[in-house]
Amino acid sequence: MNPFNFEKCGLTRRTLLGGAALGGATILSAPAWAGMVDLPLYGGGGERETTTSFPQKGEMILQRTRPPLLETPWETFDKGVFTPNDQFYVRWHWAGIPDSVNVDTFRLKVHGNVQQELSLSLSELIQKLPKIELAAVNQCSGNSRGFFNPRVPGAQWANGAMGNAKWTGVRLRDLLDSAGVKAGSVQVRFAGLEKPVIDGGPHFMKSLSIDHARDDDVIVAYAMNGEALPFLNGFPLRLIVPGWYATYWVKMLADIEVLDKPDDNFWTKKAYLIPDTPGANIKPGEKDVKMVPINRMVPRSFFTNLVSGAHIKASASNEVRGIAFGGDCGVAKVETSIDGGGNWQVAQLGPDEGKFGFRRWSTAITPSKVGDGVSVKVRCTNTNGEVQSDTPNWNPSGFMRNVIEVIDLVAA
Ligand SMILES: Nc1nc2c(c(=O)[nH]1)N[C@H]1C(S)=C(S)[C@@H](COP(=O)(O)O)O[C@H]1N2
Ligand SMILES: [Mo]
């Protein structure tokens, strides 16, 4: 018997054809704007449209229709450490996303520098290999790009191009071992099912070193928060690379190729490069910088229950809370400061759901009198001892923002 039943999740071939059709017409002709969300961006107008017109998605902030770029509304992050599937952000490079995936005929191919090519059906994959479950944050390299100053081109995300889920799947290593990786292999390349929309456009593919690919935590997931992956988050399979930016988390994964020489495809060699400097930080206009592929994530922490300008009570204890993550390791501590970063108080941490996931934090603030302004900063230190900085980083792609966040509260 299947330990995981796609049909029980309502994801039969028929519902995919009907419910999750991504034909441009449906989406382009009648976008049903559900309302507006106030999320000011640096230098921007502040109001961003939301939409409910995407399959299997609730209310999302609309960045772009085709290919879909949908941001998670910020309030979602206050509700719990796991981001619900129907509000998990969405990002695709090419609009040539299939309208449906036939779960009966779908095959995952493992080929290249291997002893025996594999072509696995979903049920073979699920039945034959040990099941692995782990929590991990999926964060776009360009999350928070909209706050870069000077501004940079690319999707103007606020902080919602990230999400935390419990992923269920099989170890990539187990798949590679079933195929038998041959000596001389250096990288493993992953490709999804979607197609470029321009002639000769590069198919979306990313690679990992062979050692990274064999890591315990790298999995090919078939479920997210206990359900089949939403279509737009990569149904039926996606790569999970805990601790690394989401660009490596290839969706609709159908092709795994073991390479005996470094991958020189566009998406690995030319795109997603960062300055090889601490925090990927350079001065605007700086030239002749050595560039390297983006890789591990850095620590971040956020306020989730209050925004700047919010009123809190004078002479009373006010809860200030949020979420944090360590990046490529766990959260060691979260601290807040109400004196501009002079003194830091250790915040309380919520349950540890796994070192790669979100961690809740909370603290209490008691302003002495009505009218007091309280500026609160929050910072996370990860278990590698890496801490967020007070100075925002800058690079021309708007990658890897992790500056200390600040909110200004007023006692009323
Ligand atoms: N097949 C495929 N996988 C992909 C991409 C893509 O364009 N195609 N984009 C990557 C990037 S840049 C990001 S940020 C994440 C977004 O994952 P999500 O849409 O599930 O949130 O998917 C990654 N995997
Ligand atoms: Mo991304």
Side-chain angles (χ1 to χ4, degrees):
M1 272 308 285
N2 258 5
F4 188 83
N5 187 335
F6 282 100
E7 301 203 356
K8 237 170 69 193
C9 298
L11 275 163
T12 60
R13 181 163 58 103
R14 199 173 305 119
T15 55
L16 280 174
L17 286 166
L22 282 172
T26 13
I27 291 164
L28 275 182
S29 61
W33 311 124
M36 305 289 261
V37 167
D38 187 32
L39 249 179
L41 283 183
Y42 168 78
E47 293 206 313
R48 300 194 295 162
E49 297 94 343
T50 64
T51 176
T52 53
S53 57
F54 285 84
Q56 300 172 297
K57 291 287 161 185
E59 184 169 22
M60 299 293 290
I61 297 163
L62 182 72
Q63 295 277 13
R64 190 174 66 194
T65 1
R66 256 176 86 80
L69 253 67
L70 311 172
E71 183 171 331
T72 302
W74 190 250
E75 314 77 69
T76 308
F77 297 107
D78 194 48
K79 294 177 189 154
V81 287
F82 291 108
T83 316
N85 291 3
D86 71 345
Q87 290 204 297
F88 209 97
Y89 84 102
V90 171
R91 194 262 190 269
W92 289 86
H93 290 87
W94 293 115
I97 306 167
D99 285 351
S100 62
V101 172
N102 184 325
V103 295
D104 301 323
T105 58
F106 175 89
R107 294 289 180 275
L108 173 66
K109 257 182 91 178
V110 183
H111 65 115
N113 202 36
V114 295
Q115 260 132 27
Q116 194 199 337
E117 283 195 8
L118 305 180
S119 174
L120 295 172
S121 69
L122 287 170
S123 54
E124 283 171 326
L125 177 117
I126 292 165
Q127 281 166 23
K128 285 190 177 158
L129 298 173
K131 173 171 138 183
I132 305 294
E133 201 158 57
L134 55 83
V137 174
N138 161 326
Q139 182 186 211
C140 182
S141 321
N143 190 25
S144 321
R145 180 186 288 123
F147 300 114
F148 268 60
N149 178 12
R151 298 196 84 137
V152 292
Q156 299 298 297
W157 301 113
N159 295 327
M162 62 173 188
N164 180 38
K166 199 168 272 175
W167 310 94
T168 310
V170 300
R171 268 199 189 106
L172 175 61
R173 188 177 63 218
D174 290 340
L175 278 167
L176 294 173
D177 286 349
S178 310
V181 172
K182 286 197 200 157
S185 302
V186 294
Q187 284 187 333
V188 183
R189 178 158 73 188
F190 310 90
L193 284 178
E194 85 276 24
K195 296 277 183 310
V197 290
I198 49 172
D199 273 352
H203 194 113
F204 186 77
M205 299 192 279
K206 292 295 292 184
S207 298
L208 296 176
S209 75
I210 188 81
D211 289 347
H212 191 181
R214 297 183 59 81
D215 198 287
D216 272 358
D217 299 318
V218 176
I219 66 175
V220 172
Y222 50 81
M224 175 174 171
N225 295 325
E227 291 168 15
L229 301 168
F231 203 76
L232 291 172
N233 298 107
F235 182 85
L237 298 175
R238 89 175 297 173
L239 191 68
I240 305 301
V241 190
W244 279 41
Y245 283 97
T247 181
Y248 294 96
W249 299 38
V250 174
K251 301 192 278 189
M252 286 190 183
L253 175 65
D255 190 289
I256 300 178
E257 184 182 0
V258 178
L259 305 176
D260 60 5
K261 48 182 176 308
D263 184 15
D264 62 358
N265 109 79
F266 173 82
W267 298 104
T268 295
K269 204 175 169 197
K270 302 248 169 70
Y272 288 100
L273 301 181
I274 54 166
D276 190 16
T277 56
N281 186 35
I282 59 169
K283 289 197 191 70
E286 201 174 323
K287 295 244 160 54
D288 301 324
V289 183
K290 185 186 170 209
M291 302 296 278
V292 293
I294 196 165
N295 50 85
R296 54 183 204 89
M297 296 198 291
V298 287
R300 299 196 76 175
S301 54
F302 299 95
F303 300 94
T304 57
N305 69 326
L306 295 167
V307 293
S308 260
H311 287 181
I312 52 174
K313 283 176 272 167
S315 326
S317 168
N318 298 271
E319 188 191 13
V320 179
R321 61 172 183 262
I323 50 171
F325 59 100
D328 68 336
C329 59
V331 170
K333 61 178 174 182
V334 172
E335 298 162 295
T336 55
S337 173
I338 52 169
D339 64 357
N343 292 287
W344 292 90
Q345 289 78 40
V346 176
Q348 252 186 356
L349 294 180
D352 186 355
E353 304 271 4
K355 63 179 178 178
F356 297 114
F358 284 153
R359 195 85 189 260
R360 282 264 219 179
W361 63 267
S362 78
T363 194
I365 286 176
T366 308
S368 46
K369 56 178 193 311
V370 170
D372 276 2
V374 189
S375 184
V376 192
K377 291 187 173 190
V378 64
R379 72 177 185 193
C380 171
T381 304
N382 71 20
T383 53
N384 287 334
E386 198 176 356
V387 62
Q388 291 179 254
S389 154
D390 231 347
T391 319
N393 71 333
W394 192 93
N395 54 65
S397 302
F399 288 157
M400 289 179 71
R401 186 174 167 94
N402 81 324
V403 68
I404 289 175
E405 303 285 330
V406 190
I407 47 170
D408 296 313
L409 307 172
V410 184

